[in-house]
Amino acid sequence: MWAQIINVILGLWLMVAPSVLSYDQTGSNNAHIIGPLVVTFAFVACWEITRPVRKVNFLSGAWLLAAPWLLGYSETLPILNDMVVGALVIGFAWVEGKITTSFGGGWKSLWT
Amino acid sequence: MNHNDDPQIPPDWSYNPSAWNQRIPIIVLALGGMGIATYLTLYQLRVLSSVWEPFFGDGSEKILNSSVSRLLPIPDAALGAISYLVDVVSGIVGGTGRWRTMPWIVIVFGLAVGPLGVVSIVLVILQPVLFDAWCTLCLSSAVISLWMIGPAMDEMLASLQYMKRVKKANKSVWKAFWGNEKAISQVH
C-alpha cells in the first residue's frame, strides 16, 4: 500500500509541477492529464481488492519517459522531471505489497 | 474481531463484503458526495449567488460556469448528485447476504460507482487543460468518487463469483441474478 501512496503523491506532484517549474504549454497539458491518471490508478490500487489496478501505471510511467521527446518539450527541467517521475511511477507500480485478505481466488477465479 | 463464524461469508473469503461495517462507510462517502454535488448544483442553478472556494480564487466560478458544465440539459453537478444518490440507495438496499441473495443490486452498485469515478477524473483533467483553473469542491467530489471504488468492488467480485458457481452447477444464472429463492438455496 505504501508504494501506491507514493505514486499518489508523485501524481499530485505532476499536477502542480507546471505551476512550479518552467513547463511549456504542451508539457503543462501533458502533466495536467497524466498526473490525475497516475493518482487515480494508484489511489484505487491502495485497496487490496483492486491492487492489480496499480499495473495500469506502467503505461502512465512509460508515457512520461517518452512524452518529452515525442511532444518535443522546449525546457530541460520539465524533461528531467517527467522522466524521473515516470521511472519512479513504474518502479512503485511494480510493488504489490502485502495482501492479507482472501477473496475466494480473487478476480482470476472468474476466468478459470 | 473475528467474523469467521458468520454464515454470510463467501467461500474462501476472510470476511463478508456485504456486512454493514463494509457498506456503511461507502454510504457515508456517497452522502458526502451528494451533499457537495447538490451545493454545486444550487450555485449552477443560481439559487446561490456565490460558491465556496478557499484556494483557487475565481477557479470554482470559472469551472462551474464553463462550456463543459452546460453540455447537458441539466448542470453537470446535478448529474453527479443523481449518481451519488444511486450509490446511496444501491448501497443501502438488501441484507448482509445480498452478494448472494440480490446480485442485481450489487452489480448496479458496482456499475454506479465505476462511471462516476471515470467522469470525475475526466472533469479533473479538463479543469486545468481547457480552463486553466481548479475548483476545490469539484476536486473533493472526485476524491470521494475514487474512494468508493475499492470498497464497492469486493462485493461485486463476491456476486460474480457466486454467479459463476451457479453456472458451473448448471443452474439458471438469470434466476440467481434476480435473487430467486429456489436458485439461492441450491448454490452457496
Side-chain angles (χ1 to χ4, degrees):
Chain A
M1 183 179 171
W2 58 268
Q4 303 317 315
I5 293 174
I6 292 173
N7 269 354
V8 167
I9 295 167
L10 286 169
L12 290 174
W13 160 245
L14 270 185
M15 290 169 76
V16 300
S19 36
V20 181
L21 308 174
S22 52
Y23 271 78
D24 57 29
Q25 191 58 49
T26 317
S28 163
N29 282 345
N30 189 55
H32 282 147
I33 294 170
I34 306 302
L37 292 178
V38 170
V39 173
T40 300
F41 301 127
F43 187 59
V44 170
C46 284
W47 283 267
E48 290 188 8
I49 184 80
T50 38
R51 189 64 51 83
V53 174
R54 72 197 153 86
K55 293 178 188 164
V56 183
N57 271 337
F58 291 155
L59 295 176
S60 321
W63 171 251
L64 285 171
L65 289 173
W69 313 105
L70 294 176
L71 301 177
Y73 286 18
S74 55
E75 305 283 337
T76 313
L77 214 51
I79 297 178
L80 270 175
N81 185 57
D82 279 21
M83 293 193 69
V84 171
V85 170
L88 289 172
V89 164
I90 293 175
F92 290 116
W94 209 282
V95 182
E96 185 181 25
K98 256 192 208 145
I99 303 286
T100 53
T101 328
S102 42
F103 304 104
W107 299 97
K108 269 180 281 178
S109 69
L110 297 176
W111 352 110
T112 50
Chain B
M1 203 156 57
N2 187 7
H3 296 286
N4 286 346
D5 45 357
D6 184 344
Q8 305 285 25
I9 295 177
D12 298 320
W13 278 59
S14 35
Y15 67 104
N16 172 15
S18 297
W20 284 112
N21 62 0
Q22 298 291 317
R23 280 157 62 188
I24 287 172
I26 315 175
I27 296 166
V28 171
L29 279 170
L31 282 171
M34 199 172 79
I36 292 175
T38 305
Y39 171 73
L40 296 178
T41 306
L42 291 177
Y43 170 70
Q44 289 184 314
L45 292 174
R46 293 296 175 272
V47 176
L48 301 171
S49 55
S50 64
V51 62
W52 186 70
E53 176 50 80
F55 304 114
F56 306 113
D58 61 352
S60 282
E61 288 173 24
K62 271 193 193 164
I63 298 299
L64 294 166
N65 296 313
S66 68
S67 51
V68 171
S69 71
R70 290 187 306 253
L71 278 178
L72 298 165
I74 56 168
D76 61 345
L79 201 67
I82 295 168
S83 307
Y84 281 119
L85 179 64
V86 173
D87 290 337
V88 171
V89 173
S90 58
I92 290 174
V93 172
T96 55
R98 69 172 193 163
W99 58 268
R100 190 167 67 94
T101 57
M102 293 179 92
W104 68 272
I105 194 78
V106 174
I107 305 292
V108 166
F109 183 51
L111 293 182
V113 168
L116 183 64
V118 173
V119 171
S120 301
I121 294 314
V122 170
L123 291 176
V124 165
I125 290 172
L126 293 181
Q127 288 179 32
V129 174
L130 293 185
F131 310 111
D132 198 21
W134 297 102
C135 155
T136 304
L137 286 175
C138 312
L139 292 172
S140 317
S141 169
V143 170
I144 290 178
S145 63
L146 287 184
W147 204 297
M148 295 194 299
I149 293 178
M153 285 306 125
D154 57 355
E155 223 183 345
M156 183 138 127
L157 176 62
S159 279
L160 293 173
Q161 287 174 343
Y162 164 67
M163 288 193 288
K164 193 170 182 220
R165 288 195 295 280
V166 171
K167 192 171 173 231
K168 267 199 172 155
N170 280 320
K171 308 288 184 202
S172 166
V173 175
W174 179 250
K175 281 183 187 166
F177 179 73
W178 293 109
N180 178 289
E181 277 183 35
K182 190 158 166 272
I184 295 163
S185 62
Q186 286 167 333
V187 180
H188 185 74

